[in-house]
DNA sequence: AGCATGGTGGTACGGTCGTATTACGAAGGA
DNA sequence: TCCTTCGTAATACGACCGTACCACCATGCT
């Protein structure tokens, strides 16, 4: 056998090229030739490692979500010593706002994929549900534990609150993306709503 | 001069064909031939009335937002005698959820346009900001008046609350669109958050 | 040493898309 | 009456896209 190249690594390289060019020109506008050029390989190679464009797009979506969940996870783990539910929830929500270029691209492409999945059944079968559900569970757990510790308003339903906060963050994420709102403004709104549900510890 | 046809009406007919076919197959997948076929006219006619595809898309966006603001306005005006700020706010937020087919299509296409506007500068110049800002002002005013009337928690900032509620509704709208959440569930979450800010009139 | 095989490149093919071109009927003003 | 102009049609053109096909290395087993 010849060179024996790591297929998974090659696929990752090409997928990142896809993310870059799609972040620049929009997911709808990327062709296989663009991806190949951005990755510095020939068109034939993209075909070789992915076969069809649909498979390339599906792989790109998984690559994107993987990278982002890893990023959020790292951000959460970066807090030395558990800083309490409020700070954790705040980090969880604020990290998912499109503040820097990387998360801007993530939001843009994730939303593009989501919209595409409405009319494309191959995309609809992909794990669009998993990541949001995980975030919802995590935030709900955070709120529950805060309530039990007397750090959060016990009068609210934790899951309803979590759903609302996540939807709020997602909605403002889109607003930021289209230039309607600045990231700091969105963060302020989120913190304001967190202040409401997280009460200061009353003895 | 010959037949003298109403250009604006023709454009509306074609734009509605665009909305229909884009709602079925996705905005990215619609071509001028599809629109022509859906409208029952020749490709040449679409060219004749719009010239270029970009102009067709821009007109389609305006048509879409016009129809929807008219719809929401009608829904609000349908309440005989002002039913109070709480019911008005609830109607404003719930009407914008993609519950029936028409608003499903509206959300799908509006979000598609928004995403496109991130990478397409011709679309970015369109009035994406106006409608959301109007809704924000309306809801803020509603909350302020409710606070002054003692019907809403005076401790919250009306605009921050309005921004949060609208972002929440938009975020859950997308969730509904991709099948992650059911419309009734989203409505329940919204009502729950409205219950929080609208206090029962305490004498 | 030789050859089967994995990786790579170039390029051609069929289809579709947006746009441009050309043509023609029909109606009202001179 | 004729002719200018509006509306409508059919079709051609050039570009691009995804995919398929063919050719060429380079390597490692037998």
């Amino acid at each position: 056998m010849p060179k024996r190249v790591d297929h998974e690594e090659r696929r990752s390289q090409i997928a990142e090229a896809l993310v870059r060019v799609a972040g620049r020109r929009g997911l709808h506008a990327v062709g296989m030739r663009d991806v190949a050029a951005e990755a510095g390989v020939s068109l034939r190679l993209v075909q070789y490692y992915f076969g069809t464009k649909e498979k390339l797009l599906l792989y790109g979506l998984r690559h994107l979500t993987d990278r982002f969940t890893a990023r959020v996870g790292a951000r959460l783990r970066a807090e030395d010593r558990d800083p309490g539910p409020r700070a954790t929830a705040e980090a969880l929500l604020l990290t998912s706002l499109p503040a820097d270029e990387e998360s801007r691209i993530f939001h843009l492409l994730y939303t593009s994929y989501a919209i595409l999945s409405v009319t494309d059944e191959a995309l609809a079968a992909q794990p669009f549900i998993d990541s949001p559900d995980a975030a919802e569970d995590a935030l709900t757990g955070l709120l529950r534990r805060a309530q039990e510790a007397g750090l959060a308003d016990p009068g609210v339903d934790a899951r309803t609150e979590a759903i609302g906060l996540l939807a709020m963050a997602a909605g403002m994420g889109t607003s930021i993306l289209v230039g309607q709102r600045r990231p700091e403004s969105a963060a302020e709104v989120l913190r304001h709503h967190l202040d409401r549900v997280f009460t200061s510890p009353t003895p």
Side-chain angles (χ1 to χ4, degrees), chain A:
Chain A
M1 300 158 191
K3 278 219 248 168
R4 303 305 277 158
V5 124
D6 185 346
H7 277 218
E8 208 52 36
E9 188 182 328
R10 266 276 196 273
R11 273 196 266 261
S12 284
Q13 290 173 358
I14 298 179
E16 294 206 3
L18 163 67
V19 168
R20 280 197 301 274
V21 64
R24 238 182 294 129
R25 294 208 279 267
L27 188 61
H28 67 284
V30 358
M32 309 201 70
R33 286 166 176 84
D34 305 303
V35 176
E38 176 78 22
V41 301
S42 77
L43 167 62
R44 179 67 183 90
L45 262 202
V46 181
Q47 288 187 258
Y48 181 74
Y49 285 106
F50 290 98
T52 174
K53 185 187 184 183
E54 181 173 82
K55 292 200 189 126
L56 169 63
L57 288 179
L58 293 181
Y59 190 96
L61 172 58
R62 252 189 301 135
H63 188 80
L64 193 72
T65 55
D66 287 353
R67 259 207 340 187
F68 197 73
T69 48
R71 182 187 141 122
V72 174
R75 173 72 180 78
L76 289 183
R77 252 176 277 105
E79 315 272 354
D80 33 19
R81 291 286 151 205
D82 182 27
R86 157 68 198 252
T88 306
E90 185 170 323
L92 179 69
L93 289 170
L94 295 198
T95 308
S96 70
L97 287 181
D100 56 25
E101 198 53 24
E102 183 183 351
S103 69
R104 256 190 71 86
I105 292 183
F106 170 79
H107 263 83
L108 173 62
L109 298 189
Y110 189 81
T111 311
S112 299
Y113 274 115
I115 288 303
L116 243 36
S117 80
V118 175
T119 47
D120 185 317
E121 57 180 39
L123 228 40
Q126 281 293 109
F128 264 104
I129 318 297
D130 301 3
S131 302
D133 268 4
E136 187 182 309
D137 290 343
L139 189 52
T140 302
L142 235 42
L143 291 176
R144 286 234 174 85
R145 266 174 274 132
Q147 285 177 324
E148 287 161 7
L151 296 172
D153 182 359
V156 302
D157 177 54
R159 184 158 293 270
T160 303
E161 207 65 39
I163 294 173
L165 283 169
L166 284 170
M168 199 184 295
M172 289 196 296
T174 308
S175 292
I176 294 171
L177 215 54
V178 301
Q180 194 205 343
R181 191 167 304 284
R182 315 237 338 284
E184 310 89 62
S185 161
E188 205 178 317
V189 173
L190 276 177
R191 284 199 209 93
H192 179 273
H193 280 85
L194 284 173
D195 286 339
R196 197 184 27 74
V197 47
F198 283 97
T199 60
S200 46
T202 49

